[in-house]
Each structure stands twice: as structure tokens, then as C-alpha cells.
Amino acid sequence: MTQARDARKVVISGTGLYTPQETISNAELVKSFNAYVELFNAENAADIAAGKIEALSPSSEEFIVKASGIESRYVINKSGVLDPKRLCPSIPERDDEVISVQSEIAVASVRDALAQARKSPEEVDAVIVACSNMQRPYPAMAIEVQNALGIKGYGYDMNVACSSATFGLQAARDAVLSGSAQCVVVVNPEICSGHLAWQDRDCHFIFGDVSTAIVVERAETSKNPDAWEILGTRLQTQFSNNIRNNFGFLNRCDESGIGARDKLFRQNGRKVFKEVVPMVAELITSHLSDESIDVAALKRMWLHQANLGMNQLISKKVLGRDPDAVEAPVILNEYANTSSAGSIIAFHKHRQDLASGDIGVICSFGAGYSAGSVIVKRL
Ligand code: CO8
């Protein structure tokens, strides 16, 4: 009987993290942005004076920290982002025969996760690349990652913006539960720097690059004593244009829109803040209730890392009081918003102190809108 129950237990048996080597502090970012503003305003002085275009305003470190809690970010390429005449990462294209940069960082994080799970690639039979932006439509990034690691079985890509990791976790758990896979790796290679309008003062500070990976399998096959049972998953989506990116394969069919601002990330940050906080608090609260878990038993919330104030408010709504420093760990001060990877970085770095039987929630939220809640218990 116990064995039969164990066979239905699905666990996270390892997580992995790849962090790019280059960082950009707010001071460096603001300096190069403000140099760009000066250049732009000087080059367009006549049109600005004639009222044809508006002068650009400088950014400020104080605003960034106060509005978001972000202090720095990691990027694949720093020099291109900080060049005021470019403000875009410089990432050379590679031959088809060479692994793509997104798969390369994905593979690094999968290796880290497999080492923690004490698994070899031969023991994995599915790869889900779940993230906001794929480097190309096909062949799927997941199949390239699978090939690079020598994993059998299958791989596919999925995109639910910032919620991709939790949606991937549900897909992985369902596959293991149904028996269609034995061990699934979910990987979140986020190269947000490539989709960010670094020229836009409202959002130039928000994102960073990183890759995270998660190994999902049955409890009975797990070799890691630090495994976390997935007690339940809950996903929600609700259409909104408040976070949007119109980049896509049809762009070339209307020349007038090529290179326009709407082909990169843009948002109405205030509206997102106001609308997503209650949605997420309600998702976590109702999910806990449906799993018959008292909120007092919730030891940790590994939340999506977009905005410090947002996380504090969500935690407060769920707990009914202010969270203490360890209950809702923050990594966005160092990493910025890394889209789907944020909650997984928090889980990766801030779970070792919890005891057997402790319960926590991994929760993502973002464009779509989309939100995902994954309740886990340390075995
Ligand atoms: N420096 C100085 N001043 C600034 C700056 C700046 N950099 N930027 C704006 N200001 C000014 C504004 O112009 C405004 O001035 P005024 O009052 O005169 O109009 C004032 O500061 C206040 O501006 P805001 O109202 O915009 O400031 P907020 O306090 O709302 O803070 C935030 C802005 C930080 C964006 C905040 O609204 C926020 O974090 N909201 C939540 C957003 C969120 O969580 N979004 C999730 C998006 S991520 C996602 O879904 C993944 C997408 C896929 C990833 C793609 C990768 C690129």
C-alpha cells in the first residue's frame, strides 16, 4: 500500500542554475543610458525645439531601486548593452552546426540540476524548454538541448512568458504521473536582454539573463535525499494587453512595422502591478485551501521576481501579515527580473534550511496574464 502511494509521488529531485559572467550595476546602466539621452537630444535638438519630438529624460539609480528593488543584472553580453550608440547585446550568429547560445546556457543549467539529482542524462527521457523567448522556431530548442546531452525520448518547447517554469512543472508532473515519461527536465533559458528596449527609460532596468533547470521524477526513482514532493499544481490565465511583445514571423509581411517599438517587450507597469497582485494572492490562497493546507503551515514562498513591492504585497495578502525576510526570499536585487527563471532561482538558492515535512509554494506570474502555483513538501 505504502509502495503504491510512493509510486504516485512525484518529486523535484534537483535544480540547476547557470549565471552569466557579466553583470551590469544600476550605476553603469544609468550612466550609459543617460549618455544615450544626451546624444539623442543633441542630434534632435532642432526637432525638439520645433516641438516635433519630445526630448528624452534621464534615468536614475534612486528611481530604479525605489520602484523595483533591482540593483544589478547578469547579461550574456555587457559591452553592447552599455554602448550608448547601440544599447543592445552583441551576440554573434553561429553556424547551424554549432550549438545555439540559448541551448548552450540551457545545457549548463541542466548539467547542474542533474548533478544535484544524482542522475545521468541517460536516465532522463524528456526535455521541456519553457521560457519567454525562443531563439528560433525550429528545430525546437528542447531537441537541441536533448541532443547535446545525449538524452533519449522527446523534447518540446513551450512559452507562457514569466509563468513558463510553473506551467512546465505541471506538464512534467503530469507526464510522470501518467507514465508517459519517467524523468523530465524542465529548463528555462532566459535571454531577456535580447528582447528588452534598452532605450526605453520606463523599462530599461527591468531584465537580466540566466538559465534554470528542474528535474522531475517519481519519488521511488529519486536518488537525492533533498527531494521535494509536488503536492499539487494550479495554473491560471486571463487575457491582457498590459504586457505585450508583437515580435513574430508575420512582421516581415508589413514593412511599415519592422523595427517599431512594439516588436520588443513593453508594459503598463502600474496596471500590471494592480491587477496581478490580487490575482496571484487569490490563486495561492485557493490552491492551499483546495489541498487542505492551512496557510500557517506555509513555510516559504518562492515568488516570481519582478518587483519587490509586488512580492511583499502578495506575501502579505496570503499570510495575513507582513512576511519576514526568509519567508519570501528575494533574488531580484542581484538578478533583476529573469522572467520564468526568477521563482526557480529563489527555490534553488533558498530551500536548504527547511526541514523534512516543511511546505512551500513556487509561484510565477506575468504576461498573458498567466500565473502558476506549485505546492511542494520537503521529503
Ligand atoms: N528613471 C527615473 N524616472 C523614471 C524612470 C527611470 N528609469 N522610469 C520611469 N520614470 C518616471 C516616470 O516617467 C513617471 O514619471 P511621472 O510621475 O512624471 O509620470 C514616474 O517615474 C513613475 O513611473 P511609473 O508609474 O511607471 O513607476 P512605477 O512606480 O509604477 O514603477 C515598474 C515602474 C517598476 C515597472 C512597476 O510598475 C512594476 O514593476 N510593475 C510590475 C510589472 C511586472 O511585474 N511586470 C511583469 C513583466 S515581466 C513578464 O511578464 C515577462 C515578459 C517576458 C520577458 C521578456 C524579456 C524582455
Side-chain angles (χ1 to χ4, degrees):
M1 183 66 183
T2 314
Q3 219 176 19
R5 247 200 333 262
D6 266 7
R8 292 195 53 81
K9 266 190 196 168
V10 177
V11 300
I12 293 174
S13 58
T15 54
L17 174 64
Y18 167 81
T19 303
Q21 283 173 1
E22 301 194 312
T23 67
I24 300 178
S25 68
N26 284 350
E28 292 172 299
L29 186 74
V30 166
K31 188 170 168 236
S32 79
F33 179 86
N34 289 350
Y36 155 75
V37 167
E38 273 185 35
L39 276 172
F40 179 93
N41 288 346
E43 275 168 18
N44 295 283
D47 283 348
I48 292 169
K52 287 189 194 155
I53 54 172
E54 270 189 43
L56 296 181
S57 303
S59 184
S60 97
E61 287 177 63
E62 295 72 34
F63 171 84
I64 295 171
V65 174
K66 191 166 158 278
S68 69
I70 295 166
E71 292 164 18
S72 65
R73 68 284 298 143
Y74 295 91
V75 289
I76 300 277
N77 171 259
K78 175 173 179 166
S79 58
V81 169
L82 289 187
D83 178 352
K85 294 197 172 138
R86 180 179 171 87
L87 295 191
C88 173
S90 173
I91 304 174
E93 287 193 4
R94 297 180 178 183
D95 286 347
D96 289 355
E97 307 317 316
V98 179
I99 189 166
S100 58
V101 64
Q102 191 171 25
S103 290
E104 190 172 78
I105 68 168
V107 165
S109 61
V110 174
R111 285 195 200 284
D112 194 32
L114 288 177
Q116 195 179 84
R118 304 172 193 195
K119 288 251 150 201
S120 66
E122 297 76 44
E123 294 170 281
V124 179
D125 53 8
V127 177
I128 304 173
V129 168
C131 64
S132 282
N133 295 286
M134 301 297 163
Q135 185 169 345
R136 58 161 191 270
Y138 46 83
M141 304 311 299
I143 303 175
E144 192 177 22
V145 172
Q146 179 197 10
N147 181 56
L149 287 161
I151 290 172
K152 294 190 280 295
Y154 64 94
Y156 64 88
D157 296 345
M158 60 187 282
N159 171 1
V160 203
C162 289
S163 287
S164 299
T166 52
F167 278 60
L169 271 172
Q170 175 165 296
R173 178 177 184 248
D174 288 352
V176 173
L177 270 179
S178 75
S180 64
Q182 304 297 313
C183 178
V184 184
V185 172
V186 180
V187 52
N188 325 106
E190 292 287 9
I191 309 183
C192 299
S193 60
H195 275 272
L196 179 57
W198 296 91
Q199 292 84 349
D200 185 339
R201 183 176 82 134
D202 289 344
C203 64
H204 78 114
F205 55 89
I206 291 180
F207 291 102
D209 302 335
V210 81
S211 182
T212 49
I214 316 147
V215 181
V216 177
E217 60 181 315
R218 287 201 314 274
E220 59 177 5
T221 62
S222 167
K223 299 175 208 165
N224 186 359
D226 171 29
W228 290 74
E229 182 182 358
I230 302 175
L231 296 178
T233 60
R234 177 70 52 87
L235 310 179
Q236 192 184 339
T237 52
Q238 182 188 307
F239 187 76
S240 168
N241 276 323
N242 286 327
I243 312 170
R244 195 163 170 122
N245 181 338
N246 285 337
F247 180 77
F249 75 101
L250 289 180
N251 293 162
R252 66 192 276 267
C253 306
D254 180 355
E255 289 78 356
S256 69
I258 292 173
R261 175 65 187 87
D262 70 322
K263 307 305 183 297
L264 294 170
F265 167 89
R266 69 206 154 102
Q267 71 170 351
N268 184 335
R270 278 275 157 106
K271 277 202 174 150
V272 174
F273 195 114
K274 268 175 93 172
E275 292 173 7
V276 170
V277 167
M279 174 180 165
V280 172
E282 166 59 21
L283 176 73
I284 298 175
T285 306
S286 61
H287 190 195
L288 286 171
S289 165
D290 291 349
E291 298 283 345
S292 303
I293 296 168
D294 192 329
V295 74
L298 193 64
K299 288 283 188 304
R300 195 142 299 173
M301 280 178 280
W302 298 281
L303 299 178
H304 172 51
Q305 306 278 320
N307 179 292
L308 185 56
M310 221 170 165
N311 285 14
Q312 285 165 343
L313 213 51
I314 290 168
S315 316
K316 191 173 176 176
K317 278 182 185 288
V318 171
L319 297 174
R321 58 173 171 79
D322 284 322
D324 67 33
V326 293
E327 280 176 313
V330 176
I331 58 92
L332 97 161
N333 56 330
E334 178 185 349
Y335 282 84
N337 181 343
T338 51
S339 195
S340 66
S343 59
I344 307 303
I345 304 173
F347 180 65
H348 179 76
K349 286 182 170 265
H350 296 281
R351 68 173 191 264
Q352 288 74 13
D353 59 311
L354 294 180
S356 174
D358 280 350
I359 289 174
V361 63
I362 301 169
C363 181
S364 65
F365 40 89
Y369 297 133
S370 59
S373 165
V374 179
I375 300 177
V376 293
K377 180 172 88 174
R378 188 169 190 167
L379 290 182

